[in-house]
Amino acid sequence: MHDGSGRIVVQNLSKRFGEVNAVQNLSFTVEPGSVTGFLGPNGAGKTTTLRMLLGLVTPTSGTATINGRPHSQLGNPARVVGSVLENEGFHPGRTARNHLRVYAAAIGVPDRRADEVLGLVGLGSAADRKAGGFSLGMRQRLALATALLGDPQVLVLDEPTNGLDPEGILWLRNFLRSYAREQRRTVLVSSHLLNEVEQLIDQVVIISQGVTRYYGPLEQLRKSQQSRVLVQPADPSALVKALQDNGISGVSPTPDGRVAVAGSSVQQIGDIAAKAGIAVYGMQEEHADLERMFFQLTQGQYAGAPGYPPPGYPPQPQFQGPPPTGFPPQQHYQQGPPSGPQQQQQYWGGPQQ
Ligand SMILES: Nc1ncnc2c1ncn2[C@@H]1O[C@H](COP(=O)(O)OP(=O)(O)OP(=O)(O)O)[C@@H](O)[C@H]1O
């Protein structure tokens, strides 16, 4: 039997496909009561991880459990975990209601549950329409309705905002938040775009090239953003030296002749420049946005984004620490050389071994 905790635990999980290290020694925990974002750029290993969690791919090593059990040992898994993976197929000639009734029968829930979940996802009025004529957003809702059939304790959604318009995203946000918070359920949503799920999530797991880069509360990540000051001095190298002589680290010249200073105030920099007799023509304070932080944590996976992020930003040495070991929420940074380039290819379909 499973422990009924609603907890997802991924421990030292790895998956190799031939030469490709799709997932490497990934560890994180997802607790009930909040929505956790599972973020990383294309090809980072998100779908592979979710498929291992759902028993569709066999890990090379490590474990992924729900309620303390691997998916294969959950008994009636649809009652424990509902999932929406990308490219879910529907029989185009089947109505939404009939599609759901087929699944309801398969997992042993009564027919009336089909109408209940259609109501939950706002598709009640489309119950008798054929799924083949549904828009992308409606298909997403129908997929979510299918995942909800077993009234699961845990919801796992792969890129759920794909195809949703802003109103649909708002609806999804409200739905997932109340599902997680009011009913103390576990919700894990993957995305390659932080800004698409930023409003949706409370916790975040960020991976890149199959490795955990950060996990913990999103709020903590927000707080860890540092501002930088861009200074336009008459003599950039003299200013760099003066700042360093005054114990200010995180100083770097930018290609346009300015000096980027992280972690110091405009006044501090101005005072040092004045004391050193260096004329300053302008100073500009910049605040990092979350998206830039996400890029910084995952860079290396993106090829060909010249000049971004700007040099000297954000300051490098702060992302260090022990590899993630568990929860309750604390911020965890892991820095380590990714093991090498990975091919960008996709797979979809049935179980992969
Ligand atoms: N069946 C497979 N055979 C070979 N390589 C695979 C297979 N499945 C995934 N990969 C590789 O594993 C890596 C991770 O892929 P995965 O689909 O898990 O990433 P992702 O983070 O979900 O990406 P996306 O955001 O584009 O969906 C990629 O390099 C991918 O090419």
Side-chain angles (χ1 to χ4, degrees), residues 221-263:
L221 189 62
R222 269 204 192 95
K223 281 192 193 140
S224 70
Q225 296 168 39
Q226 283 202 6
S227 61
R228 70 171 187 171
V229 180
L230 286 168
V231 192
Q232 196 169 7
D235 184 343
S237 33
L239 180 65
V240 169
K241 184 169 182 318
L243 289 167
Q244 284 169 346
D245 287 350
N246 280 273
I248 294 192
S249 55
V251 184
S252 54
T254 67
D256 63 1
R258 292 188 289 176
V259 174
V261 189

Side-chain angles (χ1 to χ4, degrees), residues 7 9 29 118-119 125 144 147 169 204 224 243 266 272 282 295 310 334:
R7 188 176 293 123
V9 179
T29 304
L118 281 170
S125 59
L144 180 58
I169 292 178
V204 66
S224 70
L243 289 167
V266 166
I272 292 169
F295 180 91
Q334 180 171 324

Side-chain angles (χ1 to χ4, degrees), residues 136-255:
L136 192 51
M138 289 169 86
R139 287 206 297 275
Q140 286 279 37
R141 287 183 192 232
L142 182 56
L144 180 58
T146 313
L148 293 170
L149 273 173
D151 196 21
Q153 198 179 1
V154 177
L155 257 188
V156 174
L157 311 177
D158 199 9
E159 306 267 356
T161 52
N162 273 358
L164 291 184
D165 56 19
E167 197 189 330
I169 292 178
L170 187 67
W171 171 83
L172 185 69
R173 177 175 81 191
N174 292 335
F175 178 84
L176 295 181
R177 289 209 146 176
S178 87
Y179 197 78
R181 287 181 186 175
E182 286 157 29
Q183 306 184 38
R184 294 272 324 149
R185 313 225 195 181
T186 310
V187 179
L188 182 63
V189 295
S190 81
S191 180
H192 61 281
L193 293 171
L194 175 56
N195 57 8
E196 286 226 336
V197 290
E198 192 184 335
Q199 305 299 321
L200 213 79
I201 60 178
D202 313 293
Q203 309 287 333
V204 66
V205 177
I206 297 179
I207 67 167
S208 170
Q209 296 185 313
V211 175
T212 314
R213 303 291 171 180
Y214 172 89
Y215 87 109
L218 188 63
E219 204 41 46
Q220 202 75 45
L221 189 62
R222 269 204 192 95
K223 281 192 193 140
S224 70
Q225 296 168 39
Q226 283 202 6
S227 61
R228 70 171 187 171
V229 180
L230 286 168
V231 192
Q232 196 169 7
D235 184 343
S237 33
L239 180 65
V240 169
K241 184 169 182 318
L243 289 167
Q244 284 169 346
D245 287 350
N246 280 273
I248 294 192
S249 55
V251 184
S252 54
T254 67

Side-chain angles (χ1 to χ4, degrees), residues 3 13 26 47 57 92 101 108 126 137 187 200 211 213 216 251 262 267 276-277 284 294 300 302 305 345:
D3 66 14
L13 192 65
L26 207 59
T47 303
V57 169
R101 284 186 173 175
V187 179
L200 213 79
V211 175
R213 303 291 171 180
V251 184
Q267 195 182 344
Q284 184 192 350
F294 176 57
Y302 290 112
Q345 42 177 222

Side-chain angles (χ1 to χ4, degrees), residues 17 22 41-48 86 159 343 345-347 352:
F17 293 107
N42 291 131
K46 303 180 296 294
T47 303
T48 304
E86 279 186 296
E159 306 267 356
Q343 291 162 2
Q345 42 177 222
Q346 292 297 328
Y347 67 87
Q352 320 255 328

